[in-house]
Amino acid sequence: MVKNIYFLYLFLLNALINLVNYVPRVLIEDRFNGSIISIMIALPIGVLLLYLFCKMIAKFPQQGLPEIMSKALPGWISRPLLFVMGCIWYLSSVLTLVGFVDITVRYISPDVSPYVVLVGFLVVIGLCARLDSESILYALEIVLYMTVPLIVYMVWRVFSSPHFEWDAVMQIITYVWQMPRYETIAGATFIFSGYVNMVIFNRVFKKVKIRHLWLFCIIGFFTLIISMFAPIGFLGADGAGEHVYPAFSTIDSLRIRYFIVERMIYVFYVVYMSLSLMNTIIHWHVSKELLLGSFHKKAVSSSAHLSQQKRKLEWWILGVFSALVYACAWLLDQFTLNQMAQMFLNLRFVGEIVLLGLMFYFVLQRRWRI
């Protein structure tokens, strides 16, 4: 069993990965049309969803969503639901991984084939996603301890830079009362969606408890503010919207003086690569376990007890995952990838509300049985 601090790690990973992913682009696109008020609305909504979900799943200690559903719903309902949830969560990893390969080609190594880079990533992710949940959480802890100090340092360098234009930030703040769009609110709430991983990782928690809820609010608030205003301060109120990856364009404007690596972007790339791979491993692990649950294959925590049939099914699932990612990298252009990201953000927000409703029903049914 793991400590409750690992729940914070799951939340923190999802928040940090969205300093770069598609959430900043969604906020910057609507910077003149309600992004700031969207952040204000998304904060209480995201924290409320996180709090309610964790309070309800705490009623089912050491159980994942497949186990909970198998007791509360008939198979003809639970299996399709688990399959759909697994596919939606897997889509998030596809967007992260394909986007990261595109970033590698654009900023780091344009002469290397992106498909060679992708194959290397898929091998690492596929092997690590088969580990047990507890081992993955320990690996996440190590990755965060290595990357968070570097992220704090880079954020400080951005906002303390003499080239940071506070006038551009103030210009955006004047649009604070513009009416927000649903798409922007849905994108901003994704910062808090790390709690969804508990549908599987709850198996290794004795009983998850939410302490210091204010800490989640502060982390979510500063993540959204940094992801939106850091690019605006460097790239301008108008220019920020012209960049495909505004966070990387911002970091590429910084230098590291008196250090062996002069461009800050190389450090940022290593940090983001570590977070992206860790995030994808966790998403594949969760999606795999949900799909195994939809196939009525009980997942157990110890690899020593895995049946031969379950092992084969795991390899098939991870093989399909890898093939789909490779096909998306081959077929999708940047415009289509952005459309898919916005579709995912919208669909995920509705899906989280549905998941919350299901958990409420499961808690009620548990009380009726007692």
Side-chain angles (χ1 to χ4, degrees):
M1 296 297 105
V2 298
K3 299 178 181 179
N4 285 303
I5 188 66
Y6 287 92
F7 173 74
L8 176 63
Y9 294 158
L10 289 172
F11 164 78
L12 188 59
L13 174 66
N14 191 78
L16 292 178
I17 203 72
N18 283 293
L19 282 170
V20 178
N21 259 8
Y22 298 95
V23 172
R25 192 180 309 166
V26 170
L27 294 175
I28 289 173
E29 282 181 357
D30 278 351
R31 60 198 180 280
F32 301 119
N33 297 299
S35 282
I36 297 179
I37 197 70
S38 295
I39 292 174
M40 297 178 182
I41 295 172
L43 281 172
I45 293 176
V47 172
L48 182 63
L49 292 175
L50 180 148
Y51 177 76
L52 291 177
F53 178 83
C54 290
K55 290 293 287 186
M56 286 187 283
I57 204 168
K59 306 292 184 182
F60 305 93
Q62 301 179 40
Q63 295 183 60
L65 190 62
E67 293 85 3
I68 298 171
M69 277 192 172
S70 65
K71 298 176 182 178
L73 294 174
W76 63 273
I77 296 178
S78 62
R79 281 181 288 178
L81 281 175
L82 288 172
F83 184 83
V84 171
M85 290 178 183
C87 291
I88 292 175
W89 209 230
Y90 167 71
L91 178 59
S92 174
S93 69
V94 173
L95 298 172
T96 298
L97 198 54
V98 175
F100 180 72
V101 171
D102 186 46
I103 287 171
T104 302
V105 174
R106 285 174 182 262
Y107 290 94
I108 304 299
S109 184
D111 297 329
V112 176
S113 172
Y115 309 110
V116 175
V117 176
L118 182 58
V119 168
F121 290 156
L122 290 175
V123 170
V124 174
I125 294 167
L127 293 175
C128 293
R130 295 186 70 246
L131 298 174
D132 60 273
S133 300
E134 198 167 345
S135 299
I136 292 176
L137 287 177
Y138 293 148
L140 170 61
E141 182 178 30
I142 295 171
V143 170
L144 290 178
Y145 278 139
M146 292 190 301
T147 56
V148 169
L150 292 173
I151 292 174
V152 172
Y153 168 71
M154 286 184 281
V155 169
W156 172 75
R157 282 294 307 274
V158 168
F159 284 94
S160 64
S161 172
H163 303 292
F164 189 88
E165 294 292 340
W166 289 100
D167 289 341
V169 174
M170 296 303 297
Q171 180 183 351
I172 298 301
I173 293 177
T174 60
Y175 293 88
V176 62
W177 299 118
Q178 295 294 318
M179 290 298 296
R181 297 188 305 137
Y182 165 77
E183 289 81 0
T184 315
I185 296 174
T189 55
F190 188 47
I191 293 292
F192 297 91
S193 294
Y195 71 86
V196 177
N197 291 309
M198 288 297 293
V199 298
I200 295 299
F201 285 99
N202 191 55
R203 292 169 175 168
V204 296
F205 285 81
K206 188 173 182 180
K207 187 175 182 180
V208 63
K209 296 180 181 178
I210 297 294
R211 296 190 177 97
H212 309 301
L213 194 61
W214 56 268
L215 184 60
F216 295 90
C217 298
I218 291 176
I219 294 174
F221 174 74
F222 279 105
T223 300
L224 290 169
I225 292 299
I226 291 168
S227 63
M228 179 178 174
F229 286 114
I232 288 173
F234 259 93
L235 308 175
D238 293 320
E242 303 299 324
H243 293 259
V244 178
Y245 300 103
F248 269 85
S249 299
T250 301
I251 294 296
D252 201 20
S253 305
L254 296 175
R255 292 177 59 230
I256 306 177
R257 291 185 177 182
Y258 315 120
F259 196 62
I260 191 171
V261 179
E262 184 179 8
R263 294 177 65 191
M264 180 77 80
I265 193 171
Y266 293 123
V267 179
F268 189 60
Y269 175 81
V270 172
V271 169
Y272 182 54
M273 179 182 67
S274 303
L275 294 176
S276 294
L277 293 179
M278 194 70 241
N279 183 69
T280 305
I281 289 168
I282 289 175
H283 281 209
W284 279 31
H285 179 74
V286 172
S287 299
K288 171 181 68 71
E289 294 297 325
L290 290 174
L291 292 177
L292 286 173
S294 71
F295 297 144
H296 272 294
K297 301 296 179 185
K298 184 179 179 181
V300 294
S301 58
S302 175
S303 60
H305 295 85
L306 290 176
S307 65
Q308 190 67 26
Q309 187 179 8
K310 181 176 179 290
R311 287 179 179 176
K312 290 181 180 179
L313 190 54
E314 275 188 332
W315 283 116
W316 275 106
I317 291 174
L318 294 173
V320 172
F321 282 1
S322 301
L324 288 175
V325 171
Y326 199 87
C328 289
W330 184 277
L331 298 174
L332 299 181
D333 56 20
Q334 188 61 53
F335 179 75
T336 307
L337 199 62
N338 292 341
Q339 286 185 322
M340 288 182 61
Q342 185 64 72
M343 179 185 68
F344 165 75
L345 293 173
N346 297 341
L347 184 62
R348 169 216 53 88
F349 186 50
V350 176
E352 288 184 23
I353 296 174
V354 172
L355 178 61
L356 199 66
L358 285 172
M359 291 302 304
F360 182 70
Y361 170 75
F362 298 151
V363 170
L364 287 179
Q365 193 179 65
R366 180 175 177 272
R367 289 181 179 177
W368 294 335
R369 289 200 303 265
I370 295 174

